[in-house]
Every structure is written in C-alpha cells, then in structure tokens.
Amino acid sequence: MSAEAIIPTGTVSTSVSPERRVWIILAITLAALVVLAFVLPHLAPHPPGQISLRNRLLPPVWFDKGQWAYPLGTDHLGRCVLSRLLYGAQLTWLIAFGAAIVSALFGTFVGVVAGYAGGKTEAIIMRWVEMHVAFPGLLMVLLILTVLGANVVTLIGVLAFNGWMVFAVVTRNAVLVIRKLPYVEVAQAFGAPPWRVIASHIIPNLVPSLITLGVLEYARLTLAEAAISFLGLGVQPPDISWGFDVANGRNYLLNAWWLVTFPGLAIAFTVLGLNLLARWLRRELDPKAR
C-alpha cells in the first residue's frame, strides 16, 4: 500500500472540544477573579476607612449635591462608598471561594469513601451526613462564631462546615453508579488497588458534576457570608465586606439609599453571574444536556 493511501488527505479540524473549552473558560474566570480581587483595591479613589464628616451622606455624582471625588456617594462617616465596594470585593470573594474549596475537598472525600466502601461504612457515613443536614445550618454557624469569634479563617471554616454535606451526597450517589461500570469492574478484577481505581477511574468521572456544584456553592456561600456579616457575626472592622456595608447602611435606608443599594447590587450580580456560569457549565459538560 502506498504512502498516499495511508496518510489522510484534507484539512485538519482545529475546533476545540467542549471539554477543553470548559477548562479554558474556567481558567480564564478564576484568573479574572484573582486579578480583580487584587487590582480593584488599587482603583479605589480613597482609602476605605478614611473619614470625612464634612462630606457625610453625600449622594452619588449624578445627583445635585454629588461630587466627582465620591462617584457613588459617602456613608454616615463620610467614607467613600465606591472605595469600600472595591475593597469589600476582595474579602467577600476570598471567604466564599475558600469555603467552597474546603467543603468540596472534604465532602468529596467523604462521599468517595462512602460510595466505594459500601456496607456498614456507607450506612454510618450517610447517617452522619443526614444528622448534620437536619441541624439548622445558620444556627450552627452563629453558635460557632459566637464561641470562637469572627475572623477570616473562622468564617471559611464554619461556612465549609455547613456546606460539605451536599458534596458528600452527590459524590456518593455518583460513585455508586460509576463503580458498576465495566471498566471499573475490569480494573478491580485485575487486582488494581482501591486507591488506583478511585484515582484513575472514579475521580475523573466526578469532575464535571463537582465543578458545576462548586460554582453553585460559591454563589450560595457568597450570600451566606453576606447574611452572617449583616447579622454582625461576620467580618469585623477594620475589615470590609459587602454584607457588612449593607448592615452599616440599613439605618439610613430612607434618606441614603445608596449605602445599601450598591453593595446589594454587587452581591446580586455576583450570585447571578455564578449561577449563569454554572448553568453553562452543566450544559457543556453533560452530553445529554448538549
């Protein structure tokens, strides 16, 4: 047979596969979040804690008494709302992202152990998960923060402690299905150790579902951090978060609506964007959805 018959002719497809496109989008999104978290504070026109009582409760610049020095107005202490918004993004995103990562790692580990081990081990782990789910999550978080005190590390820990169960349940259910697939049974029949089966055949099949779930949890934890800070048990001065600023502005809602509106819009658009990203990821990663 000639070489011409062996070598295919025609143009080579340069289209990017859906899976690779997803990873590219995820990498760009994470890089953008990291860059924004560190760049936004440098774009602030004023230090976030700078007090100017002479300029207290100034409206946004498009109103008559607004000033270009304070584009989104000032709060009751004369602090720049825009500056606090930009600085608050860093801590709000950090806490939610850290909690999502910790809960995903721990919940996935628990779910894999329960699903792969089966038997009494699975029963004990899932009863533990069910008891944890049955306890009011917000009450648990408030109790822990009251005892331990509020700081960034504690907030990440308690939010992760309150969110890992969903990863455990989803992972366990997926592992129960994957472990019955032919190639997994073949690997077990050839004597592959459990850790190799899990690492080579089970974990790669969990990644698409865990990515989508992780983005959704990131959105939920953003709201949870804002709620805890609003109640006064989250971020404490001199640190800044969007939920903390909403709490500071609630007493001025009628005569200084911008104190609550702009941090609230930042939270809302962040959660909306993450939910839309999760929906797109599910469509791209799930062949049935495509």
Side-chain angles (χ1 to χ4, degrees), residues 10 18 32 44 63 77 99 132 142 175 183 259 284:
F63 286 92
L77 295 177
H132 201 139
L142 295 179
V175 171
Y183 59 85
L259 301 184
E284 290 295 322

Side-chain angles (χ1 to χ4, degrees), residues 217-282:
E217 276 296 290
Y218 187 13
R220 186 190 70 82
L221 291 169
T222 301
L223 284 175
E225 185 280 327
I228 294 171
S229 296
F230 181 83
L231 294 174
L233 292 175
V235 171
Q236 301 296 319
D239 293 328
I240 306 167
S241 77
W242 291 337
F244 180 73
D245 275 353
V246 171
N248 281 339
R250 69 183 185 275
N251 294 327
Y252 302 89
L253 185 58
L254 295 180
N255 59 343
W257 53 266
W258 53 91
L259 301 184
V260 172
T261 300
F262 292 123
L265 286 175
I267 296 170
F269 281 119
T270 298
V271 173
L272 176 61
L274 290 172
N275 279 306
L276 292 176
L277 176 61
R279 182 179 179 181
W280 177 82
L281 288 172
R282 179 183 176 278

